Amino acid sequence: MTTKYINQEVAMLFDSSKCTACKGCQIACKQWNVLFSPLGLNENKFTGSYQAPMDLNGSNRLIMTFKEKRTESKVRPVEWAFGRRSCFHCTEAGCAMVCPTGALKIQPNGVVSVNKDICIGCQYCQMACPFDVPRYYGVGDDTAKIDKCTMCWDRLENGMKPACVSTCQPGALHFGPRDEMIKLGKERVEFMKSRGYDKAELYGEKEMGGLHILQVCKFGREAADLPADPKLSPMVSMSQLSKPAAGLAAIATAGGLAVSLIAAIGYRRKKLSVEEARKTWTARQRTEGDKLVVDELDKMKKDQADQGSK
């Protein structure tokens, strides 16, 4: 067994200029990760867009986006931009920083991994993400768990590339050492600019400390609906008031802070306060969250006592 993708920093490069929006990557993601699909006929009504589904959800970790834009050019009167929405696997991953149980973890190779066995469904990660990516399945019952791209961690452990990369026919997806993906992306941007695409750019080299899903944006980041300067949510800095493993649970119990705390700033599709999130918690989730707070407070008291005795 080889672990070449585990022992070095890796990244995926999405080149929108080569993408044909065949959605083969979407299907490969669902098949490899055994993600369920709705049953029945005509459950999803036509919205006027070929994009489907319209957003990420508990059973779709990856979607290809469609965006049309009229231009004044007679050569290209319409710019039809294909985009990609999934977890970006940030170097500064706010989701992992606020996770009270450690279910989300930033791996040495840059992947933000998921351990569903210890996820309590608190939804803090969703609120902390500047890209509004993490989703949940089973929300409202005791099975609520996080669901997001894992970069096909099980494949990486066996020296295989992510399923979406392996199935991409036009070669719009590349995977390998991050520095090589950045170099490849920059070369592609220069090529696109030489062909008249002045807004072409590489997204992800520095954003959020460096993303591990890089994008060559043919028409610029605006056409791909990507934020210009994504930042960590205020939740992250507040969570540092206590141990990361239980910080958010402690904050959630502090009424004054919890009511005023807003999940994200700037680029968000949905704003949610901690108190609003807690309304969706089950009795089990509240019990586990409260236990984390008690354990953490006991630990803090013990540490203070130990320091006072020195």
Side-chain angles (χ1 to χ4, degrees):
M1 181 179 72
T2 178
T3 57
K4 63 178 180 179
Y5 295 133
I6 300 298
N7 298 326
Q8 62 177 325
E9 187 177 19
V10 295
M12 184 188 301
L13 174 66
F14 167 60
D15 186 350
S16 66
S17 67
K18 293 183 178 180
C19 179
T20 61
C22 68
K23 300 184 184 179
C25 53
Q26 281 188 209
I27 302 303
C29 177
K30 290 182 75 72
Q31 289 182 330
W32 180 263
N33 294 292
V34 195
L35 301 173
F36 68 89
S37 296
L39 301 177
L41 299 175
N42 301 319
E43 290 191 7
N44 298 314
K45 304 297 182 182
F46 183 60
T47 62
S49 171
Y50 288 107
Q51 180 177 324
M54 295 307 295
D55 200 0
L56 302 172
N57 56 53
S59 64
N60 290 281
R61 300 176 180 178
L62 163 67
I63 59 171
M64 300 308 298
T65 61
F66 291 68
K67 188 172 182 180
E68 292 180 331
K69 180 182 178 182
R70 291 187 178 278
T71 71
E72 298 180 357
S73 172
K74 294 183 178 179
V75 179
R76 292 193 298 271
V78 176
E79 293 179 345
W80 198 358
F82 300 139
R84 185 182 195 276
R85 257 180 63 69
S86 73
C87 174
F88 281 92
H89 297 275
C90 311
T91 295
E92 298 175 357
C95 60
M97 295 178 186
V98 302
C99 180
T101 65
L104 293 172
K105 183 178 180 181
I106 304 173
Q107 299 291 341
N109 65 351
V111 174
V112 179
S113 61
V114 178
N115 183 349
K116 293 182 180 180
D117 292 338
I118 57 176
C119 173
I120 61 173
C122 66
Q123 300 185 50
Y124 289 149
C125 57
Q126 185 176 11
M127 293 185 289
C129 177
F131 299 105
D132 191 25
V133 167
R135 290 295 186 272
Y136 285 77
Y137 62 88
V139 173
D141 58 40
D142 286 343
T143 65
K145 298 287 184 178
I146 183 179
D147 193 275
K148 77 168 192 68
C149 168
T150 63
M151 199 86 84
C152 290
W153 184 261
D154 52 345
R155 293 174 64 93
L156 300 187
E157 287 183 312
N158 289 280
M160 302 168 66
K161 297 180 180 180
C164 59
V165 178
S166 298
T167 198
C168 183
Q169 295 299 312
L173 291 174
H174 304 269
F175 185 81
R178 187 171 186 271
D179 55 350
E180 293 183 12
M181 295 299 101
I182 291 175
K183 180 181 178 182
L184 182 62
K186 288 182 175 180
E187 291 175 351
R188 187 62 182 174
V189 167
E190 291 305 312
F191 174 80
M192 294 308 299
K193 287 185 175 180
S194 71
R195 293 297 186 272
Y197 294 93
D198 298 332
K199 293 184 178 181
E201 63 178 299
L202 176 64
Y203 188 87
E205 180 181 5
K206 298 180 179 180
E207 285 79 4
M208 299 301 292
L211 306 180
H212 292 84
I213 299 288
L214 307 166
Q215 292 197 28
V216 173
C217 302
K218 182 178 181 180
F219 301 113
R221 61 167 182 78
E222 296 91 348
D225 199 23
L226 296 171
D229 186 23
K231 298 181 182 299
L232 287 172
S233 163
M235 290 184 70
V236 176
S237 58
M238 294 189 73
S239 71
Q240 304 309 309
L241 294 174
S242 184
K243 180 181 176 182
L248 258 293
I251 290 176
T253 61
L257 288 176
V259 172
S260 63
L261 181 60
I262 300 299
I265 58 176
Y267 182 82
R268 282 289 294 173
R269 288 173 170 77
K270 181 181 179 181
K271 296 193 176 191
L272 193 67
S273 70
V274 172
E275 282 302 300
E276 289 173 331
R278 283 173 62 84
K279 291 178 182 179
T280 68
W281 286 16
T282 65
R284 178 184 64 81
Q285 291 167 347
R286 288 181 179 278
T287 298
E288 292 183 8
D290 291 341
K291 184 178 183 302
L292 286 172
V293 175
V294 173
D295 291 345
E296 179 59 21
L297 290 176
D298 289 343
K299 176 66 166 53
M300 291 174 64
K301 291 179 181 179
K302 183 178 183 302
D303 290 343
Q304 292 174 354
D306 292 342
Q307 292 178 358
S309 63
K310 293 181 179 180

PDB file of all heavy atoms in Angstrom, residues 4 6 10 20 27 57 67 72 105-106 108 120 138 141 151 169 182 219-220 225 229 248 291:
ATOM      1  N   LYS A   4       1.529   7.973  -0.751  1.00  0.00           N
ATOM      2  CA  LYS A   4       2.174   9.164  -1.308  1.00  0.00           C
ATOM      3  C   LYS A   4       1.294  10.403  -1.211  1.00  0.00           C
ATOM      4  O   LYS A   4       1.802  11.525  -1.197  1.00  0.00           O
ATOM      5  CB  LYS A   4       2.567   8.909  -2.766  1.00  0.00           C
ATOM      6  CG  LYS A   4       1.386   8.643  -3.710  1.00  0.00           C
ATOM      7  CD  LYS A   4       1.871   8.457  -5.138  1.00  0.00           C
ATOM      8  CE  LYS A   4       0.718   8.190  -6.111  1.00  0.00           C
ATOM      9  NZ  LYS A   4       1.183   8.030  -7.488  1.00  0.00           N
ATOM     10  N   ILE A   6      -0.690  10.995   1.318  1.00  0.00           N
ATOM     11  CA  ILE A   6      -0.907  11.253   2.740  1.00  0.00           C
ATOM     12  C   ILE A   6       0.277  11.977   3.355  1.00  0.00           C
ATOM     13  O   ILE A   6       0.136  12.777   4.278  1.00  0.00           O
ATOM     14  CB  ILE A   6      -1.151   9.932   3.506  1.00  0.00           C
ATOM     15  CG1 ILE A   6      -2.384   9.215   2.941  1.00  0.00           C
ATOM     16  CG2 ILE A   6      -1.327  10.183   4.989  1.00  0.00           C
ATOM     17  CD1 ILE A   6      -3.665  10.006   3.074  1.00  0.00           C
ATOM     18  N   VAL A  10      -1.089  18.154  -0.669  1.00  0.00           N
ATOM     19  CA  VAL A  10      -1.682  17.925  -1.982  1.00  0.00           C
ATOM     20  C   VAL A  10      -2.776  18.951  -2.258  1.00  0.00           C
ATOM     21  O   VAL A  10      -3.215  19.681  -1.368  1.00  0.00           O
ATOM     22  CB  VAL A  10      -2.280  16.502  -2.088  1.00  0.00           C
ATOM     23  CG1 VAL A  10      -1.188  15.453  -1.990  1.00  0.00           C
ATOM     24  CG2 VAL A  10      -3.347  16.287  -1.017  1.00  0.00           C
ATOM     25  N   THR A  20     -16.727  20.730 -19.343  1.00  0.00           N
ATOM     26  CA  THR A  20     -17.883  20.672 -20.244  1.00  0.00           C
ATOM     27  C   THR A  20     -19.187  20.536 -19.463  1.00  0.00           C
ATOM     28  O   THR A  20     -20.250  20.377 -20.053  1.00  0.00           O
ATOM     29  CB  THR A  20     -17.761  19.483 -21.215  1.00  0.00           C
ATOM     30  OG1 THR A  20     -17.722  18.257 -20.456  1.00  0.00           O
ATOM     31  CG2 THR A  20     -16.510  19.597 -22.068  1.00  0.00           C
ATOM     32  N   ILE A  27     -21.563  12.505 -10.269  1.00  0.00           N
ATOM     33  CA  ILE A  27     -22.014  11.117 -10.191  1.00  0.00           C
ATOM     34  C   ILE A  27     -20.956  10.239  -9.547  1.00  0.00           C
ATOM     35  O   ILE A  27     -21.262   9.383  -8.703  1.00  0.00           O
ATOM     36  CB  ILE A  27     -22.352  10.574 -11.596  1.00  0.00           C
ATOM     37  CG1 ILE A  27     -23.424  11.447 -12.262  1.00  0.00           C
ATOM     38  CG2 ILE A  27     -22.826   9.132 -11.505  1.00  0.00           C
ATOM     39  CD1 ILE A  27     -24.704  11.561 -11.459  1.00  0.00           C
ATOM     40  N   ASN A  57     -26.300  19.742  -0.344  1.00  0.00           N
ATOM     41  CA  ASN A  57     -27.245  19.275   0.668  1.00  0.00           C
ATOM     42  C   ASN A  57     -26.682  18.024   1.335  1.00  0.00           C
ATOM     43  O   ASN A  57     -25.541  17.644   1.078  1.00  0.00           O
ATOM     44  CB  ASN A  57     -28.633  19.016   0.057  1.00  0.00           C
ATOM     45  CG  ASN A  57     -28.599  18.037  -1.096  1.00  0.00           C
ATOM     46  OD1 ASN A  57     -28.065  16.930  -0.973  1.00  0.00           O
ATOM     47  ND2 ASN A  57     -29.179  18.416  -2.229  1.00  0.00           N
ATOM     48  N   LYS A  67     -23.737  29.412 -14.840  1.00  0.00           N
ATOM     49  CA  LYS A  67     -24.023  30.834 -14.749  1.00  0.00           C
ATOM     50  C   LYS A  67     -23.842  31.489 -16.114  1.00  0.00           C
ATOM     51  O   LYS A  67     -22.761  31.439 -16.704  1.00  0.00           O
ATOM     52  CB  LYS A  67     -23.101  31.504 -13.721  1.00  0.00           C
ATOM     53  CG  LYS A  67     -23.463  32.951 -13.436  1.00  0.00           C
ATOM     54  CD  LYS A  67     -22.642  33.506 -12.288  1.00  0.00           C
ATOM     55  CE  LYS A  67     -23.040  34.928 -11.974  1.00  0.00           C
ATOM     56  NZ  LYS A  67     -22.236  35.487 -10.849  1.00  0.00           N
ATOM     57  N   GLU A  72     -21.111  42.451 -24.305  1.00  0.00           N
ATOM     58  CA  GLU A  72     -21.243  43.337 -25.465  1.00  0.00           C
ATOM     59  C   GLU A  72     -20.402  42.851 -26.639  1.00  0.00           C
ATOM     60  O   GLU A  72     -20.356  43.489 -27.683  1.00  0.00           O
ATOM     61  CB  GLU A  72     -20.835  44.760 -25.071  1.00  0.00           C
ATOM     62  CG  GLU A  72     -21.722  45.371 -23.987  1.00  0.00           C
ATOM     63  CD  GLU A  72     -21.291  46.777 -23.621  1.00  0.00           C
ATOM     64  OE1 GLU A  72     -20.268  47.239 -24.185  1.00  0.00           O
ATOM     65  OE2 GLU A  72     -21.962  47.408 -22.788  1.00  0.00           O
ATOM     66  N   LYS A 105     -10.918  17.596  11.237  1.00  0.00           N
ATOM     67  CA  LYS A 105      -9.499  17.710  11.560  1.00  0.00           C
ATOM     68  C   LYS A 105      -8.699  18.091  10.323  1.00  0.00           C
ATOM     69  O   LYS A 105      -8.927  17.560   9.236  1.00  0.00           O
ATOM     70  CB  LYS A 105      -8.981  16.384  12.117  1.00  0.00           C
ATOM     71  CG  LYS A 105      -7.527  16.423  12.565  1.00  0.00           C
ATOM     72  CD  LYS A 105      -7.096  15.086  13.148  1.00  0.00           C
ATOM     73  CE  LYS A 105      -5.640  15.114  13.603  1.00  0.00           C
ATOM     74  NZ  LYS A 105      -5.213  13.809  14.154  1.00  0.00           N
ATOM     75  N   ILE A 106      -7.784  19.043  10.496  1.00  0.00           N
ATOM     76  CA  ILE A 106      -6.903  19.456   9.400  1.00  0.00           C
ATOM     77  C   ILE A 106      -5.720  18.501   9.356  1.00  0.00           C
ATOM     78  O   ILE A 106      -4.903  18.457  10.281  1.00  0.00           O
ATOM     79  CB  ILE A 106      -6.405  20.896   9.607  1.00  0.00           C
ATOM     80  CG1 ILE A 106      -7.591  21.856   9.769  1.00  0.00           C
ATOM     81  CG2 ILE A 106      -5.524  21.328   8.427  1.00  0.00           C
ATOM     82  CD1 ILE A 106      -7.185  23.267  10.146  1.00  0.00           C
ATOM     83  N   PRO A 108      -2.127  16.768   7.876  1.00  0.00           N
ATOM     84  CA  PRO A 108      -0.853  17.321   7.419  1.00  0.00           C
ATOM     85  C   PRO A 108      -0.789  17.549   5.905  1.00  0.00           C
ATOM     86  O   PRO A 108      -0.074  18.435   5.444  1.00  0.00           O
ATOM     87  CB  PRO A 108       0.160  16.244   7.844  1.00  0.00           C
ATOM     88  CG  PRO A 108      -0.468  15.613   9.042  1.00  0.00           C
ATOM     89  CD  PRO A 108      -1.930  15.567   8.722  1.00  0.00           C
ATOM     90  N   ILE A 120     -21.653  15.483  16.630  1.00  0.00           N
ATOM     91  CA  ILE A 120     -22.899  15.585  17.394  1.00  0.00           C
ATOM     92  C   ILE A 120     -23.947  16.430  16.666  1.00  0.00           C
ATOM     93  O   ILE A 120     -25.003  16.725  17.216  1.00  0.00           O
ATOM     94  CB  ILE A 120     -22.653  16.162  18.802  1.00  0.00           C
ATOM     95  CG1 ILE A 120     -22.066  17.578  18.707  1.00  0.00           C
ATOM     96  CG2 ILE A 120     -21.746  15.244  19.606  1.00  0.00           C
ATOM     97  CD1 ILE A 120     -21.954  18.278  20.046  1.00  0.00           C
ATOM     98  N   GLY A 138     -30.141  14.119   8.099  1.00  0.00           N
ATOM     99  CA  GLY A 138     -30.812  13.691   9.311  1.00  0.00           C
ATOM    100  C   GLY A 138     -31.005  14.805  10.312  1.00  0.00           C
ATOM    101  O   GLY A 138     -31.140  14.558  11.504  1.00  0.00           O
ATOM    102  N   ASP A 141     -33.129  14.943  14.054  1.00  0.00           N
ATOM    103  CA  ASP A 141     -33.235  13.699  14.820  1.00  0.00           C
ATOM    104  C   ASP A 141     -31.855  13.310  15.334  1.00  0.00           C
ATOM    105  O   ASP A 141     -30.882  14.016  15.136  1.00  0.00           O
ATOM    106  CB  ASP A 141     -33.853  12.574  13.976  1.00  0.00           C
ATOM    107  CG  ASP A 141     -33.045  12.303  12.708  1.00  0.00           C
ATOM    108  OD1 ASP A 141     -31.802  12.326  12.785  1.00  0.00           O
ATOM    109  OD2 ASP A 141     -33.643  12.058  11.648  1.00  0.00           O
ATOM    110  N   MET A 151     -12.287  14.663   0.167  1.00  0.00           N
ATOM    111  CA  MET A 151     -11.225  14.454  -0.814  1.00  0.00           C
ATOM    112  C   MET A 151     -11.001  12.957  -1.033  1.00  0.00           C
ATOM    113  O   MET A 151      -9.913  12.517  -1.398  1.00  0.00           O
ATOM    114  CB  MET A 151      -9.930  15.139  -0.378  1.00  0.00           C
ATOM    115  CG  MET A 151      -8.925  15.382  -1.491  1.00  0.00           C
ATOM    116  SD  MET A 151      -9.168  16.905  -2.405  1.00  0.00           S
ATOM    117  CE  MET A 151      -8.323  18.089  -1.343  1.00  0.00           C
ATOM    118  N   GLN A 169     -13.417  13.412 -17.942  1.00  0.00           N
ATOM    119  CA  GLN A 169     -13.014  13.105 -19.318  1.00  0.00           C
ATOM    120  C   GLN A 169     -12.252  14.235 -20.023  1.00  0.00           C
ATOM    121  O   GLN A 169     -11.262  13.971 -20.705  1.00  0.00           O
ATOM    122  CB  GLN A 169     -14.250  12.724 -20.136  1.00  0.00           C
ATOM    123  CG  GLN A 169     -14.921  11.443 -19.685  1.00  0.00           C
ATOM    124  CD  GLN A 169     -13.983  10.246 -19.796  1.00  0.00           C
ATOM    125  OE1 GLN A 169     -13.335  10.050 -20.810  1.00  0.00           O
ATOM    126  NE2 GLN A 169     -13.905   9.460 -18.741  1.00  0.00           N
ATOM    127  N   ILE A 182      -0.410  24.642  -8.277  1.00  0.00           N
ATOM    128  CA  ILE A 182      -0.369  26.103  -8.385  1.00  0.00           C
ATOM    129  C   ILE A 182       0.365  26.516  -9.662  1.00  0.00           C
ATOM    130  O   ILE A 182      -0.087  27.388 -10.406  1.00  0.00           O
ATOM    131  CB  ILE A 182       0.321  26.723  -7.156  1.00  0.00           C
ATOM    132  CG1 ILE A 182      -0.557  26.535  -5.913  1.00  0.00           C
ATOM    133  CG2 ILE A 182       0.606  28.205  -7.383  1.00  0.00           C
ATOM    134  CD1 ILE A 182       0.095  27.005  -4.630  1.00  0.00           C
ATOM    135  N   PHE A 219     -13.606  33.282 -16.458  1.00  0.00           N
ATOM    136  CA  PHE A 219     -14.168  34.624 -16.544  1.00  0.00           C
ATOM    137  C   PHE A 219     -13.954  35.413 -15.246  1.00  0.00           C
ATOM    138  O   PHE A 219     -14.634  36.407 -15.004  1.00  0.00           O
ATOM    139  CB  PHE A 219     -15.664  34.554 -16.850  1.00  0.00           C
ATOM    140  CG  PHE A 219     -15.976  33.834 -18.129  1.00  0.00           C
ATOM    141  CD1 PHE A 219     -16.643  32.621 -18.118  1.00  0.00           C
ATOM    142  CD2 PHE A 219     -15.597  34.362 -19.352  1.00  0.00           C
ATOM    143  CE1 PHE A 219     -16.935  31.950 -19.300  1.00  0.00           C
ATOM    144  CE2 PHE A 219     -15.875  33.709 -20.542  1.00  0.00           C
ATOM    145  CZ  PHE A 219     -16.546  32.491 -20.513  1.00  0.00           C
ATOM    146  N   GLY A 220     -13.053  34.961 -14.408  1.00  0.00           N
ATOM    147  CA  GLY A 220     -12.808  35.636 -13.147  1.00  0.00           C
ATOM    148  C   GLY A 220     -13.630  35.044 -12.013  1.00  0.00           C
ATOM    149  O   GLY A 220     -14.598  34.325 -12.237  1.00  0.00           O
ATOM    150  N   ASP A 225     -18.831  33.053  -8.704  1.00  0.00           N
ATOM    151  CA  ASP A 225     -19.510  33.348  -7.437  1.00  0.00           C
ATOM    152  C   ASP A 225     -18.626  33.028  -6.246  1.00  0.00           C
ATOM    153  O   ASP A 225     -19.073  32.447  -5.253  1.00  0.00           O
ATOM    154  CB  ASP A 225     -20.831  32.578  -7.339  1.00  0.00           C
ATOM    155  CG  ASP A 225     -21.775  33.175  -6.298  1.00  0.00           C
ATOM    156  OD1 ASP A 225     -21.619  34.363  -5.984  1.00  0.00           O
ATOM    157  OD2 ASP A 225     -22.656  32.451  -5.808  1.00  0.00           O
ATOM    158  N   ASP A 229     -12.349  38.146  -0.734  1.00  0.00           N
ATOM    159  CA  ASP A 229     -11.461  38.073   0.419  1.00  0.00           C
ATOM    160  C   ASP A 229     -12.146  37.334   1.567  1.00  0.00           C
ATOM    161  O   ASP A 229     -12.556  37.938   2.555  1.00  0.00           O
ATOM    162  CB  ASP A 229     -11.072  39.493   0.862  1.00  0.00           C
ATOM    163  CG  ASP A 229     -10.026  39.486   1.970  1.00  0.00           C
ATOM    164  OD1 ASP A 229      -9.307  38.476   2.088  1.00  0.00           O
ATOM    165  OD2 ASP A 229      -9.933  40.494   2.703  1.00  0.00           O
ATOM    166  N   LEU A 248     -16.673  26.092  21.728  1.00  0.00           N
ATOM    167  CA  LEU A 248     -17.969  26.537  21.224  1.00  0.00           C
ATOM    168  C   LEU A 248     -19.108  26.081  22.103  1.00  0.00           C
ATOM    169  O   LEU A 248     -20.112  26.773  22.241  1.00  0.00           O
ATOM    170  CB  LEU A 248     -18.183  26.050  19.791  1.00  0.00           C
ATOM    171  CG  LEU A 248     -17.954  27.129  18.731  1.00  0.00           C
ATOM    172  CD1 LEU A 248     -19.020  28.186  18.845  1.00  0.00           C
ATOM    173  CD2 LEU A 248     -16.588  27.755  18.899  1.00  0.00           C
ATOM    174  N   LYS A 291     -22.237  18.269  28.559  1.00  0.00           N
ATOM    175  CA  LYS A 291     -21.176  17.479  29.193  1.00  0.00           C
ATOM    176  C   LYS A 291     -19.804  18.027  28.822  1.00  0.00           C
ATOM    177  O   LYS A 291     -18.891  18.089  29.650  1.00  0.00           O
ATOM    178  CB  LYS A 291     -21.277  16.014  28.769  1.00  0.00           C
ATOM    179  CG  LYS A 291     -20.258  15.104  29.474  1.00  0.00           C
ATOM    180  CD  LYS A 291     -20.443  13.655  29.058  1.00  0.00           C
ATOM    181  CE  LYS A 291     -19.469  12.756  29.819  1.00  0.00           C
ATOM    182  NZ  LYS A 291     -18.063  13.144  29.598  1.00  0.00           N
TER     183      LYS A 291
END
